[in-house]
Amino acid sequence: MIKVPAAREFSALEKNYLFTEVRRKTQKFLTENGGEVINLGVGDVAFPLPPVVVEAMVKATLEMGDNARFKGYPPEGGYPFLKEAIAGRYLKRGVKIDADEIFIGDGAKSDTSSFPDIFGRADVLITDPVYPVYADSSVLRGNRVTFVRGNKQNRFLPSPRGVEKKPYLIFLCSPNNPSGAAYGHDGLKEWVDFALETGSALLFDAAYSAFAGVGVPSSVFEIDGARECCAEFGSFSKSAGFTGLRCSWTVVPKELKCRKSQVSALWKRRQSVKFNGVSYVIQRAAEAALSERGITECGPAVEIYKKNAAAFTAFFKARGIWHTGGELSPYVWIECPKNLSSVEFFNGLLSGCRVVGTPGSGFGKAGEGFFRFSGFATENAAAEAVRRFERSDLFR
Ligand code: MLT
């Protein structure tokens, strides 16, 4: 036995990560009962990679086996071809980001949980319910966490009004995971203004920006002042089916400064210590996903996830069940019917409908009594889930 103690912060975490626990319970149910379930739990993509992405990987793989063209370590921060493609994606949306403000990573989970490494001990401000990674990584780092609660009254779009004014690391995700709610321009501006006023860093997770529709900012940099106080995280996971490939980016604007240091320089230095980059093959795949053909080929899967979420929403609406999300997001967030707790509803849904979702309580205290359905499924699976809901007593 080793005598080095485990980090004591672990004792403040739940034993299992939320989706590990959902998987464990689902597996236990299947072992005891056999058969299949429809998985609307973790937001994992349901369709294979589009041909343009696969072709780019094949081509890049062949290059890696060629004496004249193989590549060793990727450049720190990513290949210029991908950074330029991402800058081009922003420009199409009217947002000017320079390629040297973009850093390539292996997923928004790693990027959002690692970014606070570059700051000293700071208070963290998080909306609740929340993607558990922000809260768990803050606890592991030993940061004090203040929650701003979402609820039915604010339709799970809490504002910073009433929060003690001091510098925080603020995590914000819109369109939101888990609630599916999305801030409009004014709601997001309140957060940017709060960050500017308090000297906070606003870490904006735009992993679901492909689902944001008209009138909803798909980037925090659509808001005036954001370049002085925000960093943004983007991902290919949900928009291009990269959950198994891993590729993401972080935008750190030149204006973002921490005392005398440029935050982008700190992030670059941190990454050079702890991260050796994303492989050439995957970066070429990501570049292909952003090409004209890539946009055409990646679009249909996103449309199906949106339609699935809309089908769930239509069912809940017809049954008078309070819900949010599902329009500008792949997630639908409901109040558990019959006053059930989140876990009671999870169990009832699993045993009664053989459908897996995610208990709202797993996303924080404010999620108790609520439940998240993910639209990341095939159309057939989503339609079958709705048929099962229709037959179930749970929703009567
Ligand atoms: C989720 O279901 O919340 C996401 O798939 C988790 C993730 O993106 O890491």
Side-chain angles (χ1 to χ4, degrees):
M1 188 175 74
I2 61 167
K3 293 188 177 160
V4 186
R8 66 193 159 131
E9 284 78 16
F10 276 101
S11 62
L13 291 181
E14 294 293 333
K15 180 160 172 266
N16 281 332
Y17 180 58
L18 172 61
F19 295 109
T20 313
E21 187 59 12
V22 169
R23 255 195 304 277
R24 188 191 67 75
K25 286 186 172 168
T26 307
Q27 201 45 56
K28 181 167 180 288
F29 175 83
L30 287 172
T31 306
E32 287 168 3
N33 299 282
E36 296 292 332
V37 291
I38 298 176
N39 196 340
L40 308 176
V42 67
D44 198 358
V45 293
F47 297 104
L49 293 161
V52 65
V53 170
V54 175
E55 285 166 26
M57 281 199 288
V58 169
K59 186 163 171 267
T61 304
L62 292 174
E63 282 180 56
M64 292 298 270
D66 181 84
N67 202 27
R69 289 180 300 168
F70 89 93
K71 315 266 185 285
Y73 290 120
E76 279 179 10
Y79 281 99
F81 62 76
L82 180 54
K83 297 184 342 154
E84 270 148 30
I86 293 168
R89 170 194 177 274
Y90 275 101
L91 203 56
K92 276 192 202 143
R93 297 164 188 221
V95 176
K96 170 130 179 41
I97 302 289
D98 290 339
D100 62 359
E101 296 176 314
I102 294 169
F103 298 82
I104 306 304
D106 68 355
K109 181 193 258 190
S110 331
D111 291 341
T112 54
S113 63
S114 304
F115 200 78
D117 280 1
I118 65 181
F119 299 105
R121 188 61 64 92
D123 282 8
V124 170
L125 185 62
I126 306 183
T127 55
D128 173 12
V130 69
Y131 178 40
V133 167
Y134 317 150
D136 286 2
S137 63
S138 300
V139 168
L140 278 182
R141 193 172 284 109
N143 283 343
R144 203 174 61 173
V145 180
T146 302
F147 290 100
V148 198
R149 310 280 176 197
N151 51 41
K152 278 168 73 175
Q153 287 67 44
N154 60 30
R155 294 200 64 80
F156 288 92
L157 289 172
S159 86
R161 259 167 275 149
V163 175
E164 186 188 347
K165 292 193 173 154
K166 57 181 181 178
Y168 298 93
L169 292 178
I170 305 170
F171 284 97
L172 202 65
C173 176
S174 180
N176 184 262
N177 178 15
S179 75
Y183 287 98
H185 184 277
D186 292 351
L188 194 51
K189 187 166 181 333
E190 260 196 79
W191 279 101
V192 171
D193 289 347
F194 177 82
L196 287 170
E197 187 187 351
T198 54
S200 300
L202 173 48
L203 311 182
F204 187 74
D205 186 349
Y208 298 92
S209 63
F211 296 85
V214 182
V216 166
S218 66
S219 165
V220 76
F221 297 116
E222 291 176 35
I223 310 295
D224 284 346
R227 288 185 61 89
E228 280 81 45
C229 62
C230 297
E232 176 165 295
F233 306 92
S235 170
F236 291 89
S237 284
K238 317 289 158 128
S239 57
F242 272 49
T243 53
L245 289 189
R246 316 304 311 146
C247 197
S248 61
W249 70 88
T250 303
V251 176
V252 191
K254 294 188 183 71
E255 293 86 333
L256 191 62
K257 297 205 175 104
C258 171
R259 302 244 162 89
K260 287 188 185 142
S261 308
Q262 194 115 29
V263 172
S264 59
L266 299 175
W267 181 231
K268 190 170 174 190
R269 186 71 183 87
R270 186 269 176 208
Q271 292 295 74
S272 66
V273 174
K274 295 201 180 181
F275 184 57
N276 249 341
V278 173
S279 76
Y280 175 66
V281 175
I282 303 297
Q283 293 198 47
R284 279 292 183 200
E287 179 196 30
L290 293 177
S291 65
E292 282 307 316
R293 195 178 144 208
I295 290 162
T296 309
E297 290 185 16
C298 292
V302 171
E303 285 311 310
I304 290 169
Y305 303 142
K306 278 189 190 165
K307 277 192 192 142
N308 292 344
F312 303 150
T313 304
F315 170 80
F316 298 130
K317 203 169 179 178
R319 291 295 167 102
I321 292 168
W322 190 93
H323 62 277
T324 182
E327 277 156 31
L328 303 165
S329 155
Y331 298 124
V332 185
W333 179 253
I334 67 164
E335 183 174 34
C336 298
K338 303 178 193 285
N339 279 326
L340 291 174
S341 74
S342 301
V343 169
E344 285 166 344
F345 185 75
F346 174 89
N347 293 336
L349 192 72
L350 185 55
S351 56
C353 299
R354 287 183 165 262
V355 170
V356 178
T358 310
S361 52
F363 295 102
K365 281 203 176 77
E368 179 53 276
F370 292 85
F371 201 81
R372 191 193 81 171
F373 289 96
S374 153
F376 291 105
T378 62
E379 310 96 305
N380 287 347
E384 174 56 21
V386 172
R387 280 193 289 277
R388 293 183 192 185
F389 298 164
E390 277 163 355
R391 291 198 297 267
S392 168
D393 283 343
L394 268 180
F395 300 97
R396 294 224 165 85

